[in-house]
Amino acid sequence: MLLATGGAGYIGSHTVRALSAAGQDVVVYDDLSEGHRDAVLDAPLVIGDILDTELLERTLRDYGVTAVLHFAARCYVGESMEKPQLYWRINRDGTRSLLDAMARAGVPNLVFSSTCAVYGEPDRLPMTEDLPHRPVNVYGETKSAMESEIRAAPGLRSVIFRYFNAAGASEDGVLGERHDPETHLIPLALMAQRDGGQLSIHGGDYDTPDGTCIRDYVHVCDLADAHVLAAKHLLAGGESLTANLGYGRGYSVREVIDAIERVTGEPVPHVVGPRRPGDPPQLFAEADRARSVLGWNPTRNDLDLIVEHAWKTLTPAPRTP
Ligand SMILES: NC(=O)c1ccc[n+]([C@@H]2O[C@H](COP(=O)([O-])OP(=O)(O)OC[C@H]3O[C@@H](n4cnc5c(N)ncnc54)[C@H](O)[C@@H]3O)[C@@H](O)[C@H]2O)c1
C-alpha cells in the first residue's frame, strides 16, 4: 500500500489514478484545503493535516504503507512572498512531520514533489540536476531546504522529482486542474476566453525570439507515470535519486497562446504588461536522468495535446443567478 499526501490535488489525483491503473493500492491523505474530494478516485481518503504527525503515523500503520508520495504543499510563488511563514509551516514543518511519522512507523521510501524553482535563474540551459540552488522566492527556498533534509534523513530512500510546468489533464476529461486562485498560463488563458476576461502577459521584452518567457510544459499524466516508476524503483530496492521532470523543450507564452487559438478556434484576449520580478526568461529541463534510471518514456510531449486536454476538463463558468 502507498500513501499519497496531497492526493486530492492536481498532480496527486492524476498520480493516484495512474497508480491504481497500474495495480497499486493507494490511500490519500489530504486536508482538502486546496484539493477536491471528487478528485480522489479508486482510493480511500483520510482527511487530515500534514502537521498532524499522530494521525499520519496511525494512517501509515493502519494501512500497512510501504512508500509515501508527498505532494501536499502550498505552491503559489506570489503567495509565498506575501506569507512566508505559512510556506515554512506547511512545506517545511509539514514535511518534517511526515518524516517523523514515517520514521516512527518504519516506512523507508519517499517520493517528493520538488520544483525547478529550486534553481532560480540558471547559468545554462537545458537545466541539469547538478546546477546550484539559487531560489528567488520563498516557495523555492522551502523546497530546496526539504530536499536537503530528505537526503540526510537516516534510513530513508527517496526519489526527488523537480517538476517543470505541469499542464494538461486526464485524457478522458475526468480529472483536471482546479487551483484557486489559478496562476498557471494554460488554464488562465482558457478561462479568459471562457469568461470574457483578459490574460495578462508578464513582459514582452525578454531576450527570447518573440520577447515572452519560455517554459517547459509537461503533461500531468506523464508526470503521473514517472511516479508509478519511482514507486516501483524504491520498492524494488533502487538507489535514491534526484531527477528533473520536463521535456527538454520550452515554449514561449506567445507559442502557448497560438496553440490555444489553434485548438479552440477562438482568440485569447490578452494584454502585455510589465515583467514580473524573479521571472527568468527561459527555463527548460534536461530530463535524461529520469529516462535512463527509471525508464521514464513520456508519450504526451505535444503542446496542442496538452491544451486540448486542459480545455476539455476546464470547469464550466460559475452560473450567475
Ligand atoms: N503544479 C505545478 O506545476 C508544480 C510544479 C512544481 C512542483 N509542484 C509541486 O507538486 C505538488 C503538487 O502540486 P499541485 O499543483 O498538484 O498542487 P495542489 O494545490 O493542486 O495540491 C496540493 C494538495 O495538498 C493538499 N494540502 C495542502 N496543504 C495541506 C496540509 N497542510 N495538510 C494536508 N494536505 C494539504 C491540498 O489540499 C491539495 O490537495 C506540490 O508539492 C507542488 O509544490 C507543482
Side-chain angles (χ1 to χ4, degrees), residues 54-235:
E54 308 299 322
L55 180 59
L56 273 171
E57 182 187 349
R58 207 161 53 242
T59 307
L60 293 171
R61 289 186 191 280
D62 287 354
Y63 283 90
V65 170
T66 50
V68 174
L69 300 103
H70 182 32
F71 299 97
R74 297 291 306 180
C75 36
Y76 299 112
V77 166
E79 185 188 55
S80 78
M81 302 306 281
E82 287 154 22
K83 300 178 185 168
Q85 274 133 341
L86 174 69
Y87 277 68
W88 287 111
R89 193 159 57 81
I90 307 295
N91 296 3
R92 177 194 57 199
D93 302 347
T95 301
R96 287 180 178 166
S97 161
L98 174 67
L99 293 178
D100 272 359
M102 289 173 68
R104 286 192 218 166
V107 181
N109 300 305
L110 177 68
V111 183
F112 179 62
S113 300
S114 189
T115 164
C116 64
V118 299
Y119 298 116
E121 186 152 353
D123 293 334
R124 56 170 202 274
L125 292 161
M127 293 152 72
T128 49
E129 288 88 353
D130 58 355
L131 281 174
H133 285 201
R134 287 193 303 240
V136 292
N137 49 62
V138 173
Y139 167 63
E141 283 173 24
T142 63
K143 291 285 184 175
S144 174
M146 288 308 95
E147 283 196 12
S148 306
E149 292 196 18
I150 288 166
R151 278 190 213 99
L156 186 72
R157 283 179 314 118
S158 59
V159 172
I160 295 174
F161 280 141
R162 297 186 186 137
Y163 313 148
F164 280 63
N165 289 55
S170 69
E171 211 158 336
D172 59 6
V174 171
L175 292 172
E177 185 166 7
R178 284 186 277 165
H179 292 118
D180 183 19
E182 189 52 75
T183 57
H184 293 148
L185 174 61
I186 294 172
L188 279 176
L190 290 167
M191 283 154 71
Q193 275 186 335
R194 182 194 67 185
D195 302 339
Q198 206 162 43
L199 175 76
S200 293
I201 298 179
H202 303 297
D205 58 352
Y206 283 96
D207 184 17
T208 57
D210 65 24
T212 63
C213 284
I214 291 177
R215 296 290 180 268
D216 190 338
Y217 296 91
V218 52
H219 196 296
V220 67
C221 294
D222 280 335
L223 292 182
D225 290 347
H227 290 75
V228 175
L229 295 167
K232 273 193 197 144
H233 171 81
L234 289 173
L235 292 172

